Amino acid sequence: MALESAADRLAFVAPGEFGVDATYLPSGGGSVALTGLFDTDFSLVSLGDGAPIADNALAFTYPTAQHATPARGDRLSIDMAAVPFGASNGVLTGTVSFHVRDIHANPPNAGAGFTALILEAP
Amino acid sequence: MADHLCTQIRDAVVTALTGLSTTAGRVYQNRSYPLGRAQTPGLLIYDLSDVQVQETVTAPRVLTCETQIAVIAVATEPEGAPLDDELDQIRKEVTVAMAALAATKVNGLAHSVHYEGCEKPKPSSGESQKPIGEAAMSWVVRYGYVEGIPDVAA
């Protein structure tokens, strides 16, 4: 179900509740302030015949209206101390400058009007 | 009674590969549970098969077997360096250590040791904080024992 308005979307990612402020850093220079949800979903990586590797898939979901033209190779800077509920799992600390590796428009878990950045830790 | 020769050979491989420059003490034997990021770069060691390839005719028969030892290097991409380079560095260290072990015929337990090769599955992407890669190397260790006495090399 799509959210109805930009204000609804902002409430969904409000800092101090579920959201966190971040700074988007295009590779060409400049910056864009974003507010969104930082997720560290548990993942098991199995490549070959050996034991799998337990890790986390990193993503940042924000209202698309804040920045409609993200690009792979850009960076996203987040202060891990501001991430609610310890979502950084204690592995990532301080201010981390993530690589943007992929971009999902309208991710299914967030409805229309959101963009999810698939992140890679430095 | 000592351990089965397979166990002795596997233990010797673990000992030879523990303390290498890149993987240090992160060496795991026949592990099935997941590794954490703190356990990489590391080595997973498995004995995948043990096949009898020859035997003498008269009793007591001497059985000759080949056991396949897999050494899987697991690494996450270092900042500013290619993942392939990290995996190749581990391969180099492992290969040198295994050659030294082969020169001793696994401390006298084996007839011969030979390298079979290496497979490198496509690294992870998207489902991990950083790309994770593996290099799966394997060796075949030929050894023998008198039938019924699998803990003494012959």
Side-chain angles (χ1 to χ4, degrees):
Chain A
M1 180 183 77
L3 295 172
E4 295 297 326
S5 69
D8 290 336
R9 295 185 190 106
L10 283 174
F12 186 61
V13 299
E17 295 186 33
F18 301 105
V20 63
D21 291 323
T23 305
Y24 189 91
L25 302 165
S27 57
S31 66
V32 180
L34 301 181
T35 301
L37 307 175
F38 180 71
D39 290 316
T40 60
D41 288 346
F42 176 77
S43 64
L44 271 182
V45 178
S46 293
L47 299 176
D49 294 329
I53 298 98
D55 205 17
N56 300 94
L58 307 178
F60 183 81
T61 304
Y62 68 94
T64 304
Q66 293 180 357
H67 185 44
T69 57
R72 294 176 180 84
D74 290 349
R75 288 198 173 240
L76 185 76
S77 179
I78 301 175
D79 177 5
M80 288 293 110
V83 174
F85 309 120
S88 67
N89 290 334
V91 175
L92 301 163
T93 58
T95 298
V96 179
S97 181
F98 296 94
H99 301 271
V100 175
R101 287 308 187 203
D102 202 3
I103 298 155
H104 295 180
N106 295 323
N109 61 340
F114 285 88
T115 295
L117 306 176
I118 307 305
L119 304 175
E120 178 185 313
Chain B
M1 193 178 200
D3 290 329
H4 192 290
L5 281 163
C6 274
T7 309
Q8 296 182 51
I9 290 168
R10 194 176 63 241
D11 287 347
V13 170
V14 170
T15 299
L17 299 183
T18 298
L20 302 182
S21 298
T22 303
T23 48
R26 295 179 293 275
V27 179
Y28 308 98
Q29 187 178 161
N30 281 338
R31 183 179 177 108
S32 58
Y33 290 107
L35 293 178
R37 285 169 51 83
Q39 293 163 309
T40 64
L43 297 174
L44 296 163
I45 297 173
Y46 300 92
D47 50 342
L48 298 178
S49 63
D50 186 41
V51 180
Q52 183 189 324
V53 294
Q54 187 180 317
E55 67 181 34
T56 55
V57 174
T58 55
R61 292 184 298 178
V62 176
L63 309 181
T64 301
C65 299
E66 288 183 346
T67 185
Q68 185 186 25
I69 304 285
V71 180
I72 303 175
V74 183
T76 55
E77 186 171 84
E79 176 70 356
L83 177 59
D84 270 347
D85 289 1
E86 177 87 341
L87 289 171
D88 288 344
Q89 175 63 29
I90 297 171
R91 287 177 60 194
K92 174 185 159 187
E93 294 168 10
V94 168
T95 303
V96 169
M98 285 298 291
L101 187 65
T104 70
K105 296 189 175 176
V106 193
N107 306 325
L109 297 172
H111 298 168
S112 64
V113 179
H114 75 262
Y115 178 60
E116 281 197 309
C118 177
E119 292 184 2
K120 291 170 80 173
K122 187 168 70 69
S124 69
S125 63
E127 70 270 40
S128 55
Q129 292 189 24
K130 302 181 71 167
I132 298 171
E134 287 184 358
M137 301 160 270
S138 67
W139 280 263
V140 170
V141 179
R142 178 177 280 226
Y143 68 98
Y145 62 89
V146 175
E147 191 174 35
I149 314 175
D151 57 330
V152 178

